[in-house]
Amino acid sequence: MNKQLVFGHQNPDTDAIVAAMAYSHLLNELGANTEAVALGTPNDETKYVLDYFNVEAPRVVETVANEVKEVILVDHNEAQQSVADRNQVEVVAVVDHHRIANFETTSPLFYRAEPVGCTSTIITKMYHEDNVAIPKQIAGLMLSAIISDTLLLKSPTTTDEDKKAIKELATIAGIDANKYGLEELRAGTNVDSKSAADLIDADAKSFTLAGKNVRVAQINTVDVNDIFKRQPEFETAIKSAVAANGYDLFFLMVTNILNSDTEALVIGDPIAPVETAFKQKLNAQQRLVLPGVVSRKKQVVPQLTAAFEQA
């Protein structure tokens, strides 16, 4: 049986890492030959999760065609968010909870997409559908992924399916989800020791919007001033990233995980669709104030997409 690699998106967050590990485990239990890998090193939050459950991080790969002919994608589908040589291998399966864009295959494939808060919620259901017991360690990992993606069920992306999964997985893992969840989220908010260049790339995704290359990054914190007191450093890092990667627009979300509000720094062109999307002008600091906004997937990208397409 040919080996298949399972992986999430570039700049992996907790769900990208965990979903690959959990789905690979499920597939192997069903007789497949897969390995979970990652398209980047774990961030601080994910390191906390892996350390807590005493699990080794998947190995990091930059290319896959030199190893396998078939791959499986989790937590993403868009080509620009995936491995560099994806066009040289066959995508045989996708499990995701995002929009479908810039994605096509030459052969039929298994595709599971649901509008839930986290890919690990879907994989939890798939364990049940395949009558495979969820190991305690895997339950803890998937619980962590759902906590991360839904900001402990506070994100508007949260569904009843996510709530049900968190309750079940917490029971299997033997964990108080609220207490553990706050500790997990706080682990990902250490920003003072990191450079602006590292922070803007840690959780960032590229989107093609009406022909424009738009980068949307997100930094979670307990105080947005921890970021904006360093705004000149962030502006320099963003402009360097724009020049190096050909981004037309860079949209940096700085999200307070305690009050579920975001302030965004916007650099690039065009600005008009951004102001249209959020019904406000950039202030003198090139920022938008976005109360109640925490989700890139649901509260930022769809709004930007609509505004760019109408511009």
Side-chain angles (χ1 to χ4, degrees):
M1 181 180 297
N2 291 333
K3 181 179 178 179
Q4 300 166 327
L5 295 181
V6 186
F7 51 85
H9 51 76
Q10 298 174 22
N11 303 314
D13 57 8
T14 300
D15 192 32
I17 297 282
V18 165
M21 298 172 70
Y23 194 39
S24 176
H25 172 267
L26 173 60
L27 291 171
N28 291 346
E29 287 293 300
L30 296 172
N33 177 20
T34 73
E35 179 191 359
V37 294
L39 302 187
T41 56
N43 60 32
D44 284 350
E45 179 193 275
T46 310
K47 288 177 185 175
Y48 174 87
V49 169
L50 297 174
D51 288 345
Y52 189 96
F53 293 103
N54 194 29
V55 178
E56 271 192 41
R59 66 185 176 94
V60 175
V61 299
E62 294 184 357
T63 58
V64 292
N66 54 311
E67 295 190 45
V68 296
K69 295 181 179 180
E70 298 177 338
V71 299
I72 296 167
L73 312 183
V74 296
D75 199 34
H76 77 295
N77 66 83
E78 299 189 47
Q80 72 275 15
Q81 298 172 8
S82 199
V83 71
D85 61 346
R86 196 177 84 178
N87 61 347
Q88 298 178 38
V89 294
E90 182 180 0
V91 178
V92 297
V94 178
V95 181
D96 193 16
H97 69 129
H98 296 94
R99 71 173 195 170
I100 301 172
N102 300 322
F103 179 84
E104 61 181 21
T105 62
T106 56
S107 302
L109 76 161
F110 174 85
Y111 202 112
R112 177 81 172 255
E114 296 186 25
V116 294
C118 182
T119 305
S120 289
T121 297
I122 304 171
I123 296 173
T124 298
K125 294 163 65 175
M126 295 174 76
Y127 269 90
H128 296 317
E129 292 163 4
D130 290 317
N131 295 312
V132 175
I134 302 174
K136 182 176 181 179
Q137 197 175 53
I138 295 289
L141 293 175
M142 291 199 292
L143 168 69
S144 304
I146 301 171
I147 288 170
S148 175
D149 265 14
T150 66
L151 291 179
L152 198 51
L153 303 179
K154 291 182 180 179
S155 170
T157 61
T158 304
T159 68
D160 289 341
E161 297 284 355
D162 301 299
K163 296 174 183 177
K164 180 180 177 182
I166 273 195
K167 184 176 181 180
E168 176 195 351
L169 295 169
T171 299
I172 296 172
I175 286 175
D176 181 325
N178 286 318
K179 181 180 178 182
Y180 166 78
L182 286 173
E183 293 170 353
E184 175 193 343
L185 292 176
R186 284 184 179 274
T189 62
N190 177 22
V191 299
D192 288 340
S193 63
K194 296 183 177 63
S195 70
D198 287 339
L199 287 168
I200 65 169
D201 196 47
D203 182 9
K205 293 182 179 180
S206 296
F207 301 91
T208 302
L209 305 181
K212 298 293 185 180
N213 187 1
V214 178
R215 187 76 160 172
V216 183
Q218 185 169 27
I219 301 171
N220 289 336
T221 182
V222 294
D223 185 350
V224 297
N225 291 322
D226 288 342
I227 298 298
F228 289 120
K229 68 184 181 184
R230 299 163 58 190
Q231 181 161 330
E233 180 190 349
F234 277 89
E235 289 184 10
T236 298
I238 288 171
K239 289 173 182 176
S240 294
V242 167
N245 299 283
Y247 305 136
D248 295 295
L249 186 81
F250 201 109
F251 190 101
L252 174 62
M253 302 171 61
V254 181
T255 301
N256 185 320
I257 64 169
L258 299 182
N259 64 17
S260 300
D261 292 336
T262 288
E263 196 161 344
L265 174 62
V266 185
I267 293 178
D269 188 66
I271 293 297
V274 178
E275 295 177 332
T276 298
F278 299 102
K279 299 179 175 61
Q280 60 179 288
K281 296 287 186 179
L282 294 187
N283 62 24
Q285 290 77 40
Q286 293 181 272
R287 282 145 54 180
L288 299 171
V289 178
L290 304 172
V293 171
V294 296
S295 171
R296 171 173 48 204
K297 180 181 72 173
K298 192 166 186 176
Q299 295 174 295
V300 173
V301 174
Q303 289 76 5
L304 288 175
T305 301
F308 269 82
E309 288 177 350
Q310 293 168 9

